[in-house]
Amino acid sequence: MSTVAAPKLHKNFINGQWVAPSGGHTYENRNPANTAELVGTFVSSSAADVDAAVDAATEAYKTWRLVPAPKRAEILYRAAEMLLHRKEELSRDMTREMGKVLAETRGDVQEAIDMTYYMAGEGRRLFGQTTPSELPNKFAMSVRQSIGVCGMITPWNFPMAIPSWKMMPALVSGNTVVLKPAEDTPLSSYHLVEVLTAAGLPPGVVNIVSGDGPGAGAPLSTHKKVPVISFTGSTAVGRIIAQAAAPDFKHVSLEMGGKNIIIVMDDANLELAVDGAIWGGFGTTGQRCTAASRVAVHKSVYAEFIRRFVERVKALKVGDGLDPQIEMGPCINEQQLNTVMSYVEIGKQEGAKLLTGGNRLDGGAHGKGWFHAPTVFGDCSAKMRIAQEEIFGPVVSVIPFSTFDEALEIANGVPYGLSASIYTKNVNQAFAAMRDLYTGIVYVNAPTIGAETHLPFGGTKQTGNGHREAAISAIDFFTEWKTLYIDYSDTLQRAQIDNAD
Ligand code: UN1
């Protein structure tokens, strides 16, 4: 039987030490399925704490960048092994602080394990290019160089996976890290850093400052000694970070909102599409940036799809994610629940047809948590707010359409561009959709969620700012190219001049 962490005061982790916050302020982290349960107490950090963490990371960078990458990678390999060993206990703690069901928190920890192994492998690659020079007796190549202290601000919906997406490529590339985890889910990030430390990461290479956005996130993202910021969260906060970082030309990677769609064509395997819409729409209580919050269904199969989908949604068991019977957990907090409820009102006012759900669940076993019924709106038009804006909760808007072209127009007609999916057996339409859906990720005959760690993750338009997480693209973000020319001719050779006829 696995154990779970007892509630305690978790201090910041700076320079390999657990340190009390300079201001002495703390906050409570409670289980969203049962707010009577205290998961732990964490510190509310301020700019002074961020300064101390950045100083430690700056100092540690001097030596960490010179550790050979394969040696850095060995620490990551050890960490991955330890995460695997502790997977069950870490997953249980994550369900307690985040609320999603145990099968999903196991997936979250596994995603961190996958990323850690994958980036450890990069320690023996980190390839650059060699290429012939245009001049004789001259050698040309490019190498990756680390950048320095990377500030990371991570969300609560993937409390271990997303910090690992950012930390592992940064670390194997030779950077050091200051992490500000989401206020609602710091424990999982602490576990990750504990593991890295036990695996042999030197003091100061990874530091954690907990707290809220204004108190800790803002001083980190604007810090003069932090040249790299990696952020996952809302588009509104991403815009603030990008603007604040612009005067210093910081490297900024933003992973923001989504309004992802599943397109169900008339020839789709309907049962499979319903499975996908359930998992895509209500997995993680809809609190994924990749959530399928829109489902567009061809008119000829619309009635049948709705019938099967709504029946399945009504049967979803909502409750405490530690219970193996439960299929959907709570919203993360009261504010998120209120957002969901306000969008339900908006949907009703807009004239969408409420087919199931639409209410908070607060009776009986749900009484102590932030539960909302899984909700489906039918007969939505593509321009309704519930079909345009990110809700980040268990609400799916179903939109009927008549033609393939109309479906593509609906799919692309939102401000975001993270993930899209099409269910069809028509290979021509599948390829046309792969080409014409303007998103960072497209799935065929699978829902909008399910990204793997060795492929690029990110989106177009207001979802991102052109970078991609995971895969080799993460290494591209956390390194800079350095081009090297070595002239061994013992003469002055002028490029573009001495080689010209
Ligand atoms: C997110 O939605 O915030 O593809 C991240 C997925 C997961 C990661 C999602 N592997 O849904």
Side-chain angles (χ1 to χ4, degrees), residues 111 157-158 162 165 288-290 449-451 457:
E111 202 160 332
N157 62 342
F158 280 82
I162 292 181
W165 293 4
R288 295 192 185 215
C289 36
T290 52
I449 69 182
F457 181 93

Side-chain angles (χ1 to χ4, degrees), residues 129-177:
Q129 303 102 23
T130 60
T131 182
S133 164
E134 65 187 41
L135 292 160
N137 296 323
K138 190 175 170 192
F139 188 83
M141 62 181 166
S142 65
V143 295
R144 293 181 184 275
Q145 59 185 328
S146 56
I147 307 173
V149 179
C150 302
M152 299 175 181
I153 299 176
T154 53
W156 44 260
N157 62 342
F158 280 82
M160 193 173 285
I162 292 181
S164 82
W165 293 4
K166 300 184 189 306
M167 272 163 47
M168 303 313 166
L171 292 173
V172 82
S173 303
N175 303 286
T176 56
V177 171

